[in-house]
Amino acid sequence: MPVLEPNPPGGQKKLLIVLGAMLAVTAVIAVIASLASP
């Protein structure tokens, strides 16, 4: 069973959305921190 299926079932899709949201939040925080630093 591949790690990333083209059409994952509901549970896996929800997990991918959660992981993607965590990565997005981390990226936004990193950008804000780099802009805020002198």
Side-chain angles (χ1 to χ4, degrees):
M1 183 175 178
V3 177
L4 293 176
E5 298 182 19
N7 296 313
Q12 190 173 353
K13 197 171 200 179
K14 188 175 182 181
L15 180 63
L16 287 175
I17 292 174
V18 171
L19 288 175
M22 288 174 59
L23 285 174
V25 168
T26 303
V28 168
I29 291 175
V31 170
I32 293 175
S34 63
L35 289 176
S37 63

